[in-house]
Amino acid sequence: MSTRARAVRWGVPAAAVLVVAGAIGAGPVIAAVQGEPQLPELTAEQLIAEVSAKWSGPGTLPPMSGTIVETASLGIPGLPAAPVGTSPLALLSGSHELKVWYGSADRFRLAIPGAMSEQNVIYNNGQTWWWDSAANTATKIKLPVEAPAPAPLPTAVTPPDAARQALAMAETDTAVSVGNDATVAGRAAYELVLAPKAAESLVRDVRVAVDGETLVPLRVQVFAKGAAEPAFEVGFDSITFAEPAPENFTFTPPPGAKVTEGDLPALTRQHPQMPAGDLAVTGSGWTSVVTLPFDAAELKDNPILAAAKPVEGGRVITTKLFSALLTDDGRLLVGAVTPETLEKAAG
């Protein structure tokens, strides 16, 4: 395998890392075929430019289908060893499988398999369904007329979306290089390595595997400082670049199913909308800190909150990739930074 060491400077906001790390994913569980793929030489500048030009926004991906594995090993204190279900706690630990079918920005499907059930979100030319086989419920999602269509793959932690967020903003606090060629889901891929320069950051580097033929991001890994294995990983376990069959995007509630209208479950929402005055961001790049109002009483019995370490003026939670500070005056500060950085930001 060839090693490309030419580095450039590229900034990645810490918020992008938090979205990734705080959702689902990481660990060495994604299938990678052993081998030594040989791809045409590209510098980091060339690879970033090529990926950005082809897949700069939602709706630009080629037709595809496949299986995504998302695994988290964040080291959150107080988290049960094996959370179950699709609750936020369950998504912060262990491995999770998603099946995707993508025809265009107007037609996609995401399936979340369970032990004896499956949940699906199907979007087909403006009509959206959420199907839960275990509950035997079909929810028809009403989208406001003025609202844009959902993102093509309705989760922030598919590899293309995670990679898009990681490469969203150019600054001067990140060294980017091209690492060894890799094999992901049986396909030869380039590997972009993004390493923060800020000492306050908990992130060692973020690695984005890019398909050598289509330049579609296939995998994103986030490594914490001092760790040999990724603390977060989301990547395709299998992928086919072809138009999925039309029946994958059609849905009719089965006989006996309870049919309702409503909103998508929180698991499939991209980002909750908050009033601008409720959220503040200090710092920049990898050392960004997000501050928002927070009532600790709402999580009185939460095991994560119970494991928080008391500090002057509040309590702090530290994981491999991010820290959270809950202040006694009702604020929550979160960042991919050391606890000391949060305490400084809190004043």
Side-chain angles (χ1 to χ4, degrees):
M1 288 183 282
S2 59
T3 301
R4 305 172 177 86
R6 184 176 181 186
V8 296
R9 297 161 71 86
W10 188 267
V12 178
V17 178
L18 293 177
V19 169
V20 175
I24 319 172
V29 299
I30 295 177
V33 178
Q34 298 299 318
E36 297 185 358
Q38 295 292 328
L39 294 170
E41 291 282 338
L42 288 177
T43 66
E45 302 102 313
Q46 291 171 330
L47 186 53
I48 291 171
E50 292 277 359
V51 174
S52 298
K54 290 179 70 70
W55 320 122
S56 59
T60 60
L61 294 172
M64 68 175 75
S65 59
T67 301
I68 296 172
V69 176
E70 299 169 323
T71 314
S73 179
L74 301 177
I76 300 177
L79 187 67
V84 296
T86 56
S87 68
L89 281 182
L91 300 180
L92 291 174
S93 179
S95 296
H96 306 272
E97 182 180 284
L98 306 172
K99 295 180 179 179
V100 298
W101 297 263
Y102 176 70
S104 67
D106 295 322
R107 295 182 302 124
F108 64 78
R109 180 174 188 154
L110 171 72
I112 308 167
M116 299 292 291
S117 62
E118 187 171 88
Q119 295 172 312
N120 283 254
V121 57
I122 305 105
Y123 180 75
N124 190 355
N125 292 312
Q127 186 176 78
T128 306
W129 286 95
W130 171 262
W131 163 244
D132 187 334
S133 66
N136 198 26
T137 57
T139 304
K140 188 175 182 179
I141 308 302
K142 293 189 66 176
L143 300 176
V145 176
E146 66 277 7
L153 296 178
T155 167
V157 288
T158 61
D161 285 337
R164 188 180 296 120
Q165 291 182 44
L167 299 174
M169 188 181 298
E171 293 185 7
T172 58
D173 59 354
T174 304
V176 178
S177 60
V178 180
N180 293 333
D181 295 339
T183 304
V184 180
R187 298 183 65 88
Y190 296 100
E191 185 178 66
L192 275 171
V193 183
L194 295 78
K197 295 182 178 181
E200 303 92 329
S201 174
L202 297 178
V203 179
R204 188 191 80 193
D205 58 49
V206 176
R207 303 187 176 211
V208 181
V210 179
D211 185 65
E213 179 183 354
T214 66
L215 297 180
V216 170
L218 299 178
R219 181 181 67 192
V220 174
Q221 297 172 306
V222 183
F223 287 79
K225 288 182 176 177
E229 302 292 347
F232 166 84
E233 181 172 331
V234 54
F236 283 99
D237 184 66
S238 63
I239 189 169
T240 300
F241 289 102
E243 184 75 32
E247 55 264 28
N248 288 302
F249 308 113
T250 60
F251 176 76
T252 302
K258 181 181 178 181
V259 180
T260 60
E261 291 190 358
D263 298 324
L264 280 173
L267 179 62
T268 62
R269 294 176 189 157
Q270 285 284 55
H271 304 291
Q273 297 297 317
M274 298 186 62
D278 288 347
L279 185 148
V281 179
T282 57
S284 62
W286 299 96
T287 59
S288 296
V289 174
V290 177
T291 303
L292 63 156
F294 183 79
D295 183 3
E298 297 179 1
L299 297 177
K300 183 177 62 173
D301 299 322
N302 188 284
I304 297 177
L305 190 61
K309 177 183 175 181
V311 295
E312 184 177 357
R315 286 172 286 177
V316 68
I317 300 168
T318 304
T319 76
K320 295 177 183 178
L321 287 179
F322 65 90
S323 301
L325 173 64
L326 300 98
T327 67
D328 293 338
D329 60 7
R331 291 176 293 159
L332 171 64
L333 291 85
V334 182
V337 295
T338 62
E340 293 77 14
T341 304
L342 296 184
E343 293 178 37
K344 182 179 179 180

